Amino acid sequence: MIATLDGGIQYKGDTGALGYPGDHALMTGLRSLADLVVMGAATVREYDSWPDGAPPLAIVSRSLDLDFDGGLFDDGRTIVITAERAPADRLEHARERADVLVTGDASTDIGAALDELARRGHRRFLCEGGPRLLAQVAAAGWLHELCLTLSPMIIAGGASRILNGPDLDVPQRMRLIHAVPDGDYLFTRYTIE
Ligand SMILES: NC(=O)c1ccc[n+]([C@@H]2O[C@H](COP(=O)([O-])OP(=O)(O)OC[C@H]3O[C@@H](n4cnc5c(N)ncnc54)[C@H](OP(=O)(O)O)[C@@H]3O)[C@@H](O)[C@H]2O)c1
């Protein structure tokens, strides 16, 4: 995740405004260490293809308002994580194009979904957000490590923080593993205690 000095994850709806090439290179490196990249549908909708060599993508979506005929589903490896009450016609389309995992009634139970993916042999999940998904990952006890880039900007406004959801039951204390400056940017990595 990347955030401004005042905690915002995007400026006027644009996350790219915060980053720079070094940060993108870091994201590519992090993907190479994972065996599955998990993303919320709102973040996924900003992509129209998935890079060769990256681990498979798992998309969390209740609406299934996704372009199943588009580039994200071309390689046949994409996983769709959804809920019982997903629209039936889109669910059928999803099943033709992806491996579909259904957990939860009105919305996906994120903890149960990640448990199931782990049972299927996935070991290193990289959650690239967005903030609404990441809050649920943390609430489910699945946020073991946080890679946070501090972008040297202040933006004010109403941008989300990197986790956007209800208060956690208890604050999750984390341990700083490293803080690496790159010009005015700062790459940090925290793990749970
Ligand atoms: N600064 C950063 O590091 C960073 C990182 C990632 C993303 N972003 C930005 O964050 C924005 C999007 O973030 P966001 O927090 O609004 O959205 P998000 O977490 O990317 O996606 C939210 C969507 O995911 C699906 N979803 C999440 N939880 C679900 C559940 N329990 N069950 C079923 N579906 C679920 C729903 O999709 P459906 O609507 O399809 O049902 C929901 O609308 C984008 O603009 C992106 O650029 C910034």
Side-chain angles (χ1 to χ4, degrees), residues 168-180:
L168 296 180
D169 290 343
V170 289
Q172 174 68 67
R173 175 75 195 262
M174 303 199 78
R175 180 180 298 278
L176 179 65
I177 302 301
H178 67 226
V180 180

Side-chain angles (χ1 to χ4, degrees), residues 96-156:
E96 289 164 7
R97 297 284 288 156
D99 185 4
V100 177
L101 171 57
V102 180
T103 69
D105 180 25
S107 63
T108 304
D109 178 336
I110 299 298
L114 295 175
D115 285 344
E116 173 58 23
L117 291 166
R119 262 193 298 277
R120 294 182 185 183
H122 294 289
R123 286 288 167 266
R124 292 178 72 90
F125 300 91
L126 176 64
C127 179
E128 294 187 9
R132 283 185 286 162
L133 175 60
L134 195 58
Q136 297 170 73
V137 169
W142 267 89
L143 184 57
H144 302 128
E145 190 172 309
L146 175 68
C147 293
L148 174 64
T149 297
L150 214 51
S151 174
M153 298 176 193
I154 51 174
I155 54 171

Side-chain angles (χ1 to χ4, degrees), residues 2 9-10 15 43 45-46 61-63 108 130 132 136:
I2 186 167
I9 59 113
Q10 54 188 199
T15 300
T43 301
R45 289 185 190 110
E46 295 176 355
S61 173
R62 177 186 184 271
S63 74
T108 304
R132 283 185 286 162
Q136 297 170 73

Side-chain angles (χ1 to χ4, degrees), residues 51-64:
D52 289 339
L57 176 63
I59 304 170
V60 181
S61 173
R62 177 186 184 271
S63 74
L64 297 182

